[in-house]
Amino acid sequence: MVRLREFDEHKALDAAMLVFWEKGYEATSLSDLTSTMGIQRPSIYAAFGNKKELFEAALRKYIQSHASSIRAQLQKNPSVKAAIRSYFENLVAQEYEEAPNRGCFCINTMVELSPHDAKFEILTREHQMYLSVIFQETIERGQQSGELDPAANATALAQTLVVSLIGLTVLMKSRPNRSFIDNSVESILTLLH
């Protein structure tokens, strides 16, 4: 007879994601995971596999949620310039208001694991490309409406916004003076003129 799981896998995965997001893969112990997830090691192994597989599941869940959130934020404003401005300004505000400053789980993974693990290199690169597509769709919407220059290279501009997003997110982990970041965002946004 198969024993039913006595915990909510989605809630357990969310809890694991928060621990990994805050501490990183290497610094997170199985004890951290069991206490935060509220389940024992055998249940973790049965539901998710080993620590690395659990980390991958948490990262995949984050990536899906993160991309959907960015797409929704960029689509809710009819003005493309205002949407992208709002996205970057909210990103900065959130990073400076949050304690601890966790940054982006995917970018943290890119920095910690991608140089040493091909699977995470591919996963984080795929997310970067997907974000580029989201920005490109937004830019093309602005070109079609006449808000943005139709001759601009939407692909290159979108990729530049992704590079800027990643750079800002990594830089904000060290809490530079807010004006340093705000000035950088203003310069990034001039690309949309």
Side-chain angles (χ1 to χ4, degrees):
M1 181 173 172
V2 176
R3 191 171 163 197
L4 294 175
R5 293 212 168 104
E6 298 172 0
F7 63 93
D8 182 326
E9 281 190 40
H10 296 291
K11 287 182 181 177
L13 188 56
D14 286 341
M17 180 175 64
L18 291 175
V19 175
F20 283 129
W21 192 353
E22 185 175 324
K23 293 183 146 203
Y25 176 76
E26 292 296 336
T28 299
S29 68
L30 280 173
S31 296
D32 294 329
L33 292 167
T34 57
S35 66
T36 303
M37 295 170 76
I39 58 178
Q40 298 304 311
R41 288 179 191 205
S43 295
I44 290 175
Y45 295 135
F48 304 105
N50 63 28
K51 177 182 165 184
K52 192 172 189 179
E53 291 168 322
L54 174 58
F55 184 87
E56 181 182 345
L59 178 63
R60 285 183 184 279
K61 183 172 186 171
Y62 173 86
I63 285 172
Q64 182 180 18
S65 171
H66 185 243
S68 295
S69 172
I70 291 174
R71 174 172 266 130
Q73 289 175 59
L74 293 174
Q75 288 178 343
K76 73 179 172 185
N77 195 321
S79 165
V80 167
K81 288 181 181 179
I84 294 173
R85 172 178 287 282
S86 177
Y87 171 74
F88 275 93
E89 288 177 347
N90 288 338
L91 171 76
V92 171
Q94 185 177 21
E95 291 299 315
Y96 276 89
E97 291 167 7
E98 277 189 12
N101 176 7
R102 294 180 299 187
C104 169
F105 184 27
C106 187
I107 294 171
N108 294 349
T109 302
M110 181 183 68
V111 172
E112 180 184 13
L113 296 178
S114 293
H116 315 290
D117 190 304
K119 179 181 273 189
F120 293 107
E121 175 188 341
I122 291 166
L123 273 172
T124 57
R125 187 173 53 238
E126 286 174 353
H127 186 55
Q128 294 160 26
M129 295 302 101
Y130 190 62
L131 293 181
S132 180
V133 168
I134 293 170
F135 278 119
Q136 183 172 338
E137 291 170 353
T138 305
I139 291 161
E140 288 170 349
R141 180 169 52 97
Q143 289 175 317
Q144 291 167 0
S145 72
E147 186 180 2
L148 297 178
D149 179 2
N153 183 333
T155 302
L157 185 52
Q159 291 168 346
T160 302
L161 290 175
V162 171
V163 169
S164 299
L165 165 65
I166 292 169
L168 281 171
T169 304
V170 171
L171 189 63
M172 286 188 290
K173 298 278 285 178
S174 68
R175 294 273 196 224
N177 185 296
R178 178 71 184 262
S179 65
F180 185 96
I181 297 297
D182 290 339
N183 290 337
S184 298
V185 168
E186 285 303 318
S187 292
I188 292 164
L189 295 173
T190 64
L191 297 170
L192 300 174
H193 294 290

